[in-house]
Amino acid sequence: MKTVITFGTFDVFHVGHVKLLKRAAALGDTLIVGVSTDQLNFSKKGRFPVYSEQDRMQIINSLRFVNFCFPEESLEKKAEYITYYGADVLVMGDDWKGKFDQFNALCEVVYLPRTPSVSTTELIEIIKSEV
Ligand code: CTP
């Protein structure tokens, strides 16, 4: 049994998120997703996500290719999460290419290509400009 883990905010859920999670699930038998908390996002980006962490987790949990998700409270805890959940593979979008190579000591690290032309930031900009 191969366990895959990935992390993200998944705010304003879009098709790029679906495709990343589907491809991550296909790399193993179980997919676990760390969904970053509202507080973690605030400390990273200086703003809170549009959707609350409870809603973002509910969306991720409802996907048939996700086995379960948990709140990612700190970027510093990735090694802890990987070990705790016994992950064999860490998947990240290739916007993070090279940034997680240190976890190769704990598991396989795979960077998947992002889906072109869609991002949460861009969607928020589009929605704002149309109001
Ligand atoms: N992702 C992807 N393709 C996209 C957008 C995101 O594969 N077009 C992946 C990211 O690489 C990451 C996961 O989806 O592994 C969660 O990304 P997240 O940062 O939550 O979404 P973004 O749309 O990139 O959000 P933002 O614009 O705020 O950075």
Side-chain angles (χ1 to χ4, degrees):
M1 287 294 269
K2 212 168 176 184
T3 299
V4 181
I5 196 166
T6 192
F7 297 89
T9 306
F10 303 101
D11 188 24
V12 190
F13 195 71
H14 59 66
V15 74
H17 296 146
V18 173
K19 288 183 173 177
L20 185 286
L21 293 170
K22 252 191 186 167
R23 284 175 294 158
L27 294 176
D29 305 291
T30 302
L31 176 61
I32 300 173
V33 183
V35 176
S36 54
T37 60
D38 293 341
Q39 201 49 52
L40 175 56
N41 274 276
F42 187 78
S43 57
K44 241 177 17 182
K45 297 186 182 170
R47 66 167 172 82
F48 286 107
V50 177
Y51 296 171
S52 70
E53 66 195 53
Q54 288 81 6
D55 287 356
R56 289 182 287 112
M57 293 210 358
Q58 203 173 142
I59 291 167
I60 300 298
N61 254 327
S62 72
L63 300 170
R64 67 169 175 266
F65 38 86
V66 172
N67 294 86
F68 71 92
C69 67
F70 66 92
E72 180 189 18
E73 286 170 349
S74 161
L75 297 177
E76 313 307 315
K77 284 191 178 172
K78 284 223 168 47
E80 232 174 88
Y81 295 132
I82 291 168
T83 311
Y84 181 79
Y85 291 110
D88 303 291
V89 187
L90 167 64
V91 168
M92 298 299 298
D94 66 0
D95 40 331
W96 295 101
K97 197 157 196 140
K99 303 242 169 67
F100 292 88
D101 287 355
Q102 75 264 31
F103 299 118
N104 268 310
L106 295 173
C107 64
E108 185 188 349
V109 180
V110 175
Y111 301 98
L112 294 178
R114 279 172 69 90
T115 301
S117 314
V118 61
S119 78
T120 298
T121 307
E122 198 181 272
L123 286 169
I124 293 171
E125 287 311 314
I126 292 169
I127 294 163
K128 265 193 200 161
S129 73
E130 289 179 2
V131 172

